Amino acid sequence: MQISLDSPPSAPQPANAYYSQVARVELGGGGVMLYLSGQVADGDTLAEQSRGVFETIDALLKAHGATLADVINIRTYLTDIGRLHEYGAVRREFLTGTAPTSMTFEVSRLFKPEALVEVEVVAAVSPR
């Protein structure tokens, strides 16, 4: 098993240099697990921020040879769980296949004061 950490230059960069955006775990047999840090995005509305989050996640996965179809687990942090339907509508635009395992939490705030949503995912990539 080999582990590497990075923030791919082909994807939006993290808010600061104190963390890596992707942990890549290469498994025996050629499979790969990708653990993505929580992602936030700019935008005036929850829908805009959610769309930006999924665009960033898509770019990070692509940088490692994966797609959104490889996502097996998603964790979502919302500052207002009452707006879950707004986030869910955008999520369904991006995650169109079999739904991954999922957890959604309401939090009082996120590290970026204007952030309404933060999403982290785990993806499993089969050997090609």
Side-chain angles (χ1 to χ4, degrees), residues 13-116:
Q13 293 302 293
N16 61 55
Y18 298 115
Y19 66 95
S20 296
Q21 288 182 286
V22 181
R24 179 184 179 97
V25 181
E26 297 190 30
L27 307 169
V32 173
M33 297 293 294
L34 300 172
Y35 298 85
L36 275 60
S37 293
Q39 300 297 317
V40 299
D42 292 329
D44 294 328
T45 67
L46 177 57
E48 289 173 357
Q49 288 186 21
S50 298
R51 196 163 280 107
V53 163
F54 281 104
E55 288 168 354
T56 298
I57 289 170
D58 188 40
L60 291 167
L61 292 171
K62 283 180 179 170
H64 284 272
T67 69
L68 289 166
D70 296 312
V71 173
I72 62 169
N73 181 265
I74 185 168
R75 284 181 210 92
T76 304
Y77 304 88
L78 292 169
T79 57
D80 182 356
I81 200 76
R83 298 177 68 189
L84 179 62
H85 63 284
E86 294 174 62
Y87 161 76
V90 174
R91 176 179 154 160
R92 285 187 296 278
E93 291 175 24
F94 288 87
L95 299 177
T96 59
T98 303
T101 62
S102 178
M103 294 180 73
T104 303
F105 305 90
E106 181 177 52
V107 295
S108 61
R109 62 182 175 183
L110 296 163
F111 81 96
K112 192 173 179 183
E114 62 275 13
L116 303 172

